[in-house]
């Protein structure tokens, strides 16, 4: 027997329609690239998105065409996304922090035809465009008055948009059609294209807003610092309008002072960003003595959120940290560290023991850890294995068929992360499969060591890599960036770590550096570090035996 309910395709256009109808005057506030703070509303954003769709069609773009965006988080970028998706196009976010050749490679792979670009990136596009033959139009997200002098086939967004009247209907699509694309950074091998569908974006937003996930509502003011070009802005460009939350878009400025200004003047209740951004904000707050009276919670992910950061937010600013884990291939949310009743009454350090874990999956994500034979490992909070996931917003393939080995027949996607899961379902990442240190046949988690080291008050940043060792194959080397004006010694740092981890996990040496290299998405670039220290001689060959 069939159900007798309506077909209501899960299309992204329905999200902006809903926001404009139920929350028409809710604001989207942006720090514009030109400088001033500008304000618009969901009603206005929808009517401009309709114009984007209409105007793109008039330029000859059609259903399925990939339209690149190289832009910061602003209302214009958001309108462009909804306009592109509404005419059946596929928004393709490009990460400006990649090398120009990598961006050109990605654009060629996706065959981008048109590009929306912020003023900041015009010089970058001038370098890239000659290498991308499919690209025939560049829309600069500004007005004629601010147009730069360029040889690109470029038009100013505002004037281009003004040529449309917005009398347009969203294209009637199949919910399984592509809505967006994002390439993973490709720290190993070529970047791989993730293709989101309308259905997966809508379901992902529904998953994200759940109370035990991001817990978003129309009473929230959300400041997505995480860029739309980084893993889909963690879905916030869809989940915020889905609940009618006010949005505050930080544009190009993500330093502590700029983020603080927006958090404060717009009274943001919730924000999301990678740990490095929060490090800058916390430093700014420490220097200025300012507080965060409006902010209730921050979602922190992309790389492990250090315990000390969660503690500082909680104890000094009364802000709840929700540690989250995910990846581009998962739209990207995988787990969030909200509290089940089993843990809800914990306080102090006991609470932090749970908050440093990456959390548990909301409805819509299935998860397991397996051994090398693909057998599931127990949920005991210590036995680690390869982390595998499946769900309606998880990739089932990469664009063009790359990386087939990461997908199995039962639909599980191998994340490349190593993790354990505890008795209540809380997952903790212990490493990337390729970063884990294998010492005498046992695994050492580099992330655990890094988290511990950054807890030292004089340490600004820490990275751990495996260094070749005659007897143990590999031993951990701790690389540290000191806080400005502080001068901790190796012995002080090791002394701080002692007793908090198994003895055989203790780094064999500590080196101090001025900076640690980061990937385009703000993660520690372990490959570069390993290269830099590949001939490093550990102090004593017997150190590992201790
Ligand atoms: P990119 O490599 O382009 O940054 P993603 O943003 O998709 O790609 O990165 C996903 C990876 O980031 C995960 O597989 C995991 O290794 C790491 N990661 C994300 N969130 C966390 C977290 N909270 N703790 C530890 N690692 C994380």
């Amino acid at each position: 027997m069939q159900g007798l309910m309506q077909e209501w395709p899960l299309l992204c256009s329905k999200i902006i329609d809903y926001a404009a109808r139920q929350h028409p005057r809710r604001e989207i506030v942006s720090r514009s690239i030109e400088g001033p703070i500008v304000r618009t509303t969901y009603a206005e954003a929808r009517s401009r998105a309709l114009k984007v769709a209409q105007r793109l069609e008039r330029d000859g773009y059609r259903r399925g065409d990939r339209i690149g965006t190289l832009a910061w988080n602003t209302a214009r970028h958001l309108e462009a996304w909804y306009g592109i998706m509404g005419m059946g196009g596929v928004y393709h976010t490009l990460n400006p922090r990649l090398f120009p050749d990598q961006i050109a490679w990605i654009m060629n792979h996706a065959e981008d035809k048109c590009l929306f670009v912020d003023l900041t990136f015009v010089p970058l596009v001038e370098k890239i465009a000659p290498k991308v033959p499919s690209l025939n139009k560049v829309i600069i997200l500004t007005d004629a008055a601010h147009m730069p002098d360029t040889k690109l086939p470029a038009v100013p967004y505002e004037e281009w948009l003004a040529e449309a009247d917005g009398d347009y209907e969203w294209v009637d699509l199949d919910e399984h059609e592509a809505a967006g694309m994002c390439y993973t950074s490709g720290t190993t091998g070529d970047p791989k294209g993730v293709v989101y569908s309308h259905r997966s974006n809508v379901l992902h937003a529904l998953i994200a807003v759940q109370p035990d996930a991001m817990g978003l509502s129309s009473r929230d003011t959300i400041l997505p610092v995480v860029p739309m070009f980084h893993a889909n802005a963690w879905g916030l460009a869809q989940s915020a309008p889905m609940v009618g939350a006010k949005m505050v878009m930080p544009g190009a400025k993500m330093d502590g002072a700029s983020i603080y200004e927006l958090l404060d003047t717009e009274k943001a209740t919730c924000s999301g960003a990678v740990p490095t951004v929060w490090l800058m904000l916390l430093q700014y707050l420490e220097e200025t003595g300012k507080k965060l009276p409006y902010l209730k919670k921050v979602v922190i992910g992309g790389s492990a959120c250090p315990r000390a950061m969660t503690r500082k937010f909680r104890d000094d600013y009364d802000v709840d940290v929700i540690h989250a884990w995910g990846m581009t291939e998962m739209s990207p949310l995988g787990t969030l560290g909200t509290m089940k009743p089993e843990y809800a009454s914990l306080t102090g350090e006991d609470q932090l023991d749970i908050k440093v874990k990456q959390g548990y999956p909301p409805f819509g994500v299935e998860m397991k850890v397996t051994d090398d034979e693909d057998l599931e490992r127990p949920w005991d909070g210590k036995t680690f294995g390869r982390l595998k996931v499946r769900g309606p917003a998880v990739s089932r393939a990469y664009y063009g068929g790359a990386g087939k080995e990461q997908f199995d027949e039962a639909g599980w996607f191998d994340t490349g992360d190593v993790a354990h899961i505890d008795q209540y379902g809380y997952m903790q990442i212990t490493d990337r499969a390729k970063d884990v240190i294998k010492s005498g046949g046992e695994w050492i988690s580099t992330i655990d060591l890094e988290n511990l080291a950054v807890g030292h008050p004089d340490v600004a940043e820490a990275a751990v890599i495996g260094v070749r060792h005659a007897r143990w194959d590999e031993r951990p080397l701790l690389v540290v960036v000191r806080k400005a004006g502080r001068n901790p010694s190796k012995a002080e740092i090791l002394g701080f770590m002692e007793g908090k981890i198994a003895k055989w996990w203790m780094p064999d040496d500590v080196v101090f550096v001025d900076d640690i290299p980061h990937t385009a998405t703000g993660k520690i670039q372990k490959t570069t570090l390993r290269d830099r220290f590949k001939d490093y001689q550990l102090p004593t060959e017997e150190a590992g035996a201790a």
Side-chain angles (χ1 to χ4, degrees):
M1 183 171 167
Q2 292 288 303
L4 292 175
M5 307 312 276
Q6 299 184 359
E7 280 302 321
W8 195 81
L10 303 178
L11 300 178
C12 294
S13 53
K14 293 212 164 72
I15 298 178
I16 197 71
D17 284 351
Y18 173 83
R21 197 158 173 87
Q22 290 300 330
H23 306 278
R25 280 180 292 279
R26 199 86 59 240
E27 283 182 311
I28 309 169
V29 182
S30 313
R31 187 189 295 284
S32 66
I33 311 308
E34 294 87 348
I37 303 286
V38 294
R39 291 169 186 276
T40 179
T41 61
Y42 280 128
E44 180 74 4
R46 176 179 180 269
S47 70
R48 283 163 61 91
L50 283 163
K51 290 184 184 179
V52 170
Q54 187 183 27
R55 197 61 194 77
L56 281 170
E57 265 190 9
R58 196 179 301 165
D59 279 346
Y61 300 108
R62 293 288 172 264
R63 199 163 169 167
D65 282 347
R66 271 77 70 199
I67 313 281
T69 70
L70 196 50
W72 303 109
N73 291 4
T74 64
R76 282 179 177 147
H77 194 180
L78 192 80
E79 294 157 13
W81 268 28
Y82 280 98
I84 294 165
M85 293 189 284
M87 55 76 64
V90 182
Y91 68 81
H92 174 199
T93 47
L94 296 157
N95 186 338
R97 295 176 187 139
L98 297 173
F99 291 116
D101 277 348
Q102 263 177 314
I103 300 177
W105 187 96
I106 288 171
M107 290 183 75
N108 280 321
H109 195 259
E111 296 172 278
D112 292 342
K113 289 191 173 167
C114 171
L115 181 64
F116 286 86
V117 60
D118 266 335
L119 282 167
T120 329
F121 306 123
V122 171
L124 177 61
V125 176
E126 283 169 342
K127 277 191 218 143
I128 296 167
K131 298 175 186 160
V132 184
S134 56
L135 184 67
N136 54 36
K137 187 167 201 123
V138 176
I139 299 158
I140 302 184
L141 292 161
T142 191
D143 55 18
H146 293 88
M147 269 299 269
D149 185 20
T150 176
K151 291 205 169 57
L152 289 168
V155 291
Y157 176 68
E158 291 299 336
E159 282 68 14
W160 173 81
L161 200 67
E163 288 165 16
D165 59 11
D167 182 11
Y168 183 84
E169 283 195 15
W170 304 125
V171 175
D172 191 16
L173 301 161
D174 178 327
E175 65 179 22
H176 293 283
E177 280 180 62
M181 264 185 115
C182 183
Y183 279 69
T184 61
S185 321
T187 28
T188 51
D190 287 331
K192 295 191 275 278
V194 172
V195 187
Y196 307 114
S197 65
H198 282 264
R199 175 185 156 84
S200 72
N201 271 352
V202 172
L203 288 174
H204 181 266
L206 283 168
I207 292 168
V209 300
Q210 296 177 61
D212 281 327
M214 285 203 188
L216 305 179
S217 85
S218 59
R219 294 165 302 284
D220 277 311
T221 294
I222 300 172
L223 195 160
V225 187
V226 54
M228 291 162 75
F229 58 74
H230 182 200
N232 227 8
W234 301 352
L236 286 168
Q238 282 110 17
S239 46
M242 178 177 273
V243 297
K246 172 178 164 183
M247 295 184 87
V248 184
M249 305 291 250
K253 292 197 176 158
M254 281 172 253
D255 59 284
S258 305
I259 294 299
Y260 173 79
E261 186 197 347
L262 290 179
L263 287 173
D264 194 57
T265 53
E266 299 303 327
K267 303 186 168 56
T269 56
C270 165
S271 182
V274 295
T276 35
V277 166
W278 297 122
L279 214 56
M280 292 190 287
L281 178 76
L282 289 171
Q283 252 164 27
Y284 174 80
L285 294 173
E286 251 172 74
E287 283 159 21
T288 57
K290 295 192 159 129
K291 293 287 177 196
L292 298 167
Y294 310 109
L295 193 63
K296 292 197 198 105
K297 67 182 165 201
V298 288
V299 182
I300 306 186
S303 56
C305 176
R307 187 181 186 103
M309 182 172 280
T310 307
R311 186 191 293 113
K312 199 170 248 324
F313 266 119
R314 184 189 68 183
D315 297 349
D316 296 359
Y317 302 101
D318 198 20
V319 172
D320 189 27
V321 167
I322 299 178
H323 195 183
W325 164 86
M327 54 199 309
T328 305
E329 291 87 334
M330 302 180 72
S331 301
L333 293 181
T335 59
L336 296 108
T338 50
M339 293 294 170
K340 292 187 187 179
E342 288 84 346
Y343 285 142
S345 58
L346 295 178
T347 55
E349 293 303 307
D350 296 341
Q351 186 190 61
L352 293 179
D353 286 345
I354 306 308
K355 288 211 165 247
V356 294
K357 296 179 189 243
Q358 276 73 8
Y360 72 97
F363 174 79
V365 180
E366 288 181 73
M367 195 172 76
K368 65 177 180 181
V369 287
T370 63
D371 64 14
D372 288 337
E373 272 75 54
D374 199 28
L375 293 172
E376 189 166 355
R377 309 205 105 174
W379 287 19
D380 60 5
K382 56 177 196 270
T383 312
F384 42 81
R386 300 191 78 100
L387 181 61
K388 298 188 179 165
V389 293
R390 59 181 185 189
V394 176
S395 299
R396 65 178 159 84
Y398 289 111
Y399 185 57
K404 284 203 173 67
E405 65 287 351
Q406 276 176 270
F407 305 89
D408 75 16
E409 276 170 10
W412 291 97
F413 168 69
D414 186 339
T415 63
D417 284 321
V418 175
H420 52 65
I421 302 177
D422 76 10
Q423 57 173 331
Y424 299 125
Y426 284 67
M427 181 275 286
Q428 186 159 11
I429 299 277
T430 56
D431 234 318
R432 292 290 290 169
K434 58 185 188 301
D435 292 337
V436 73
I437 296 172
K438 300 203 169 130
S439 172
E442 298 287 342
W443 291 12
I444 297 176
S445 155
T446 61
I447 293 179
D448 277 2
L449 295 179
E450 287 158 8
N451 284 344
L452 184 55
V454 293
H456 189 285
D458 297 339
V459 172
E461 202 178 8
V464 173
I465 51 167
V467 175
R468 211 165 278 293
H469 189 282
R471 176 157 173 201
W472 302 103
D473 290 339
E474 267 186 332
R475 288 294 304 159
L477 171 69
L478 174 61
V479 184
V480 166
V481 181
R482 289 183 265 226
K483 276 197 188 156
R486 307 285 178 81
N487 202 14
S489 68
K490 167 181 160 181
E492 272 165 7
I493 289 177
L494 291 178
F496 171 80
M497 297 174 77
E498 226 168 76
K500 299 186 178 107
I501 39 166
K503 220 166 167 199
W504 62 275
W505 277 38
M506 283 294 285
D508 282 22
D509 204 3
V510 182
V511 286
F512 296 96
V513 295
D514 291 335
D515 68 331
I516 283 175
H518 289 99
T519 67
T521 48
K523 286 166 213 187
I524 294 172
Q525 205 160 33
K526 296 261 171 108
T527 42
T528 313
L529 268 188
R530 277 194 291 261
D531 247 19
R532 207 196 286 175
F533 291 102
K534 72 177 185 303
D535 300 320
Y536 192 80
Q537 286 296 319
L538 292 167
T540 68
E541 279 292 287
E542 281 311 297

